[in-house]
């Protein structure tokens, strides 16, 4: 196992160059997928490395519940500086798990509270709140049991004919709409709409619908958890927050038909908006590099290439991040398999 067990803890540093270059040289959709995937793999690998080190460290503690053979010298020799690394890994892994659990719990709590606040309102895709504070955000729905049952019943009824089928299907669709938190919604206040013109409002709605259609909240939650698992992944979290907004900007520009209108709407909203209620929910004008978003919208549309050429700066960074991610996965797998074989040999029958 050797030093390979430590590599996944520091290999996230190889993804730093692509985090910056992807923002400028890759299509926002591709950059979001690339950075999120790299963050997830690197975070899992670093957590696995901490878990392996924790096993070695726990085996050295007096009165531990692990087999006595796991504290043999042969096992300890598999990890360099086993006494220090093993003891540090125990609180580090506990801290990582607690931090990730807290982030996931907070994300779920914010979504539930936002959904409850809209329960008494009509089940429409756009909710306008009478609020003096200007803000707008995309609230993803949850696929509730009632919605699943309604969808299944509707599929069964497609084989029926006549007036009875139409009445029953109408009742099924009505039940699906009754579950207020089961559908995606765009939440916007009257104060936000008052500052925008008609075309700019259409850009706002197109932007938020793009967040919902592409399920950007999942990307944001993934990089948020990854950054909690390994602090070296925080630059990727910041980059994904930006690329998801740029992705939605491009979709809105395509829908509206004018990049300048979207840029004007983003600039206006950024001056007055307070942002989304959570970092894992996508808003229209979140805190961040808004001038860069506006400048990108005033320029030509980015080319939707599948993968950058190796002979470009973005290509070198992308391939470097991919190589670092692969090396991290291989190091974690090698360490896990090696430790498993050693512990199995040290475990008495």
């Amino acid at each position: 196992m050797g030093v390979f067990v430590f590599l996944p803890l520091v290999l996230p540093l190889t993804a730093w160059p692509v985090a910056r270059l992807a923002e400028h040289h890759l299509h926002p959709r591709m950059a979001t997928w690339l950075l999120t995937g790299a963050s997830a793999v690197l975070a899992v690998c670093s957590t696995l490395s901490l878990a392996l080190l924790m096993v070695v460290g726990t085996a050295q503690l007096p009165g531990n519940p692990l087999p006595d053979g796991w504290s043999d010298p042969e096992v300890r020799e598999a990890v360099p500086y086993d006494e220090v690394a093993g003891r540090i890994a125990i609180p580090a892994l506990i801290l990582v798990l607690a931090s990730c659990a807290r982030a996931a719990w907070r994300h779920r709590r914010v979504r539930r509270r936002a959904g409850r606040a809209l329960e008494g309102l009509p089940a429409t895709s756009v909710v306008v709140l009478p609020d003096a504070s200007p803000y707008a955000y995309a609230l993803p729905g949850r696929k509730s049991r009632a919605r699943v049952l309604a969808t299944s019943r509707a599929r069964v009824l497609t084989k029926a004919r006549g007036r009875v089928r139409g009445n029953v299907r109408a009742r099924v669709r009505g039940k699906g709409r009754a579950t207020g938190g089961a559908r995606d919604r765009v939440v916007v206040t009257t104060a936000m709409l008052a500052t925008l013109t008609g075309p700019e409002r259409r850009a706002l709605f197109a932007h938020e619908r793009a967040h919902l259609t592409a399920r950007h909240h999942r990307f944001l939650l993934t990089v948020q958890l990854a950054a909690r698992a390994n602090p070296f992944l925080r630059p990727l979290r910041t980059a994904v927050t930006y690329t998801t907004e740029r992705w939605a900007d491009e979709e809105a520009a395509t829908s509206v038909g004018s990049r300048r209108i979207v840029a004007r709407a983003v600039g206006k909203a950024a001056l007055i908006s307070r942002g989304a209620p959570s970092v894992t929910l996508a808003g229209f004008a979140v805190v961040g590099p808004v001038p860069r978003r506006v400048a990108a919208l005033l320029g030509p549309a980015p080319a939707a290439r599948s993968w950058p050429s190796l002979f470009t700066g973005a290509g070198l960074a992308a391939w470097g991040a991919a190589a670092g991610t692969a090396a991290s996965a291989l190091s974690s797998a090698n360490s896990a398999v090696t430790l498993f074989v050693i512990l199995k040999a040290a475990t008495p029958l």
Side-chain angles (χ1 to χ4, degrees):
M1 188 162 59
V3 296
F4 289 102
V5 72
F6 297 112
L7 287 181
L9 301 176
V10 297
L11 278 176
L13 294 172
T14 61
W16 282 19
V18 75
R20 188 70 176 179
L21 291 173
E23 298 177 0
H24 299 282
H25 301 286
L26 297 182
H27 190 277
R29 179 175 60 254
M30 179 187 175
T32 301
W33 277 101
L34 174 64
L35 297 177
T36 304
S39 297
V41 173
L42 292 171
V44 170
C45 292
S46 64
T47 305
L48 177 60
S49 294
L50 281 179
L52 297 176
L53 292 172
M54 187 199 69
V55 171
V56 178
T58 304
Q60 303 174 33
L61 299 178
N64 68 83
L66 300 178
D68 295 336
W70 289 18
S71 58
D72 291 345
E74 294 79 4
V75 177
R76 299 172 59 181
E77 288 176 358
V79 179
Y81 311 103
D82 59 289
E83 293 185 0
V84 177
R87 295 180 184 275
I88 293 178
I90 296 174
L93 182 61
I94 295 175
L95 181 62
V96 165
L97 296 178
S99 180
C100 290
R102 184 177 183 276
W105 172 80
R106 185 175 185 276
H107 171 76
R108 186 176 181 84
R109 183 190 63 178
V110 170
R111 286 184 59 179
R112 281 186 171 181
R113 287 185 176 181
R116 290 195 194 104
L118 305 179
E119 282 182 353
L121 301 176
T124 56
S125 59
V126 177
V127 179
V128 180
L129 300 178
D131 195 338
S133 299
Y135 59 88
Y137 62 91
L139 180 63
R142 60 181 184 274
K143 196 170 185 179
S144 64
R145 183 174 182 270
R147 188 180 183 185
V148 173
L149 292 176
T151 304
S152 300
R153 291 173 62 184
R155 290 177 179 175
V156 172
L157 291 172
T158 54
K159 297 182 179 180
R161 296 180 180 180
R163 185 176 179 180
V164 176
R165 181 193 64 177
N167 293 337
V168 176
R169 290 179 66 185
R171 289 199 298 271
V172 173
R173 288 196 299 268
K175 291 181 181 179
R177 288 195 299 268
T179 57
R183 67 180 304 170
D184 298 334
R185 287 181 165 185
V186 175
V187 182
V188 62
T189 63
T190 53
M192 174 65 79
L193 295 178
T195 62
L196 303 177
T197 63
E200 292 168 354
R201 293 178 183 177
R202 290 194 294 271
L204 182 148
F205 293 138
H207 178 99
E208 299 301 337
R209 289 193 184 100
H211 281 312
L212 295 172
T213 301
R215 317 307 290 172
H216 285 168
H217 65 283
R218 296 177 180 174
F219 295 98
L220 296 174
L221 179 60
T222 299
V223 295
Q224 179 71 11
L225 295 176
R228 296 294 183 97
N230 192 320
F232 290 151
L233 294 173
R234 289 180 179 177
L236 274 70
R237 178 188 60 184
T238 304
V240 171
T241 302
Y242 171 75
T243 57
T244 52
E245 292 300 322
R246 284 284 301 117
W247 185 352
D249 289 341
E250 294 299 328
E251 295 295 330
T254 302
S255 177
V256 175
S258 173
R259 301 176 63 83
R260 187 171 294 275
I261 290 177
V262 178
R264 190 164 61 241
V266 170
K268 282 186 178 180
L271 296 176
I272 59 174
S273 177
R274 73 179 190 186
S278 174
V279 294
T280 55
L281 294 181
F284 182 56
V286 296
V287 178
V290 174
R292 280 200 292 152
R293 289 174 57 192
V294 173
L297 285 167
L298 294 178
R305 291 181 298 180
S306 57
W307 191 259
S309 173
L310 178 62
F311 303 101
T312 62
L316 287 174
W319 282 104
T325 304
S328 180
L330 291 175
S331 298
S332 298
N334 173 73
S335 301
V337 172
T338 303
L339 184 61
F340 174 79
V341 172
I342 294 174
L343 294 179
K344 186 177 180 180
T347 303
L349 298 177

